[in-house]
Amino acid sequence: GGKSVHVKDLAMIALGLFEREPQKHLTFSGVDTQENFRGNFPIEAALRSFGYHPEIDLSNGLKLTAKALGLL
């Protein structure tokens, strides 16, 4: 969708899909040294090369993927 997402936020979205309480399933043991790394993957390149533009947000995309895999 053109926005960066922290791993913690991604985990919380995924747990929410399965109606799990993140506080019960996530533990943090300090600072992740790679959390500050941000890959640069401009969405504009996909638009120019393939005519692609995102039509759904991350949360709904994960939900649709989980459904397609029979996980929901």
Side-chain angles (χ1 to χ4, degrees), residues 4-69:
S4 65
V5 178
H6 292 275
V7 173
K8 176 184 172 186
D9 295 334
L10 180 60
M12 292 181 82
I13 292 169
L15 285 169
L17 290 176
F18 297 101
E19 299 179 0
R20 301 287 197 275
E21 295 180 36
Q23 299 81 2
K24 292 183 180 180
H25 298 279
L26 294 178
T27 58
F28 302 99
S29 60
V31 175
D32 181 352
T33 57
Q34 292 190 357
E35 184 61 29
N36 290 327
F37 170 78
R38 293 288 176 260
N40 185 16
F41 309 103
I43 199 78
E44 294 81 15
L47 177 62
R48 280 193 312 274
S49 298
F50 310 110
Y52 171 80
H53 63 279
E55 295 179 9
I56 57 173
D57 62 23
L58 176 62
S59 182
N60 286 326
L62 289 174
K63 187 177 204 174
L64 289 170
T65 300
K67 283 183 178 180
L69 295 172

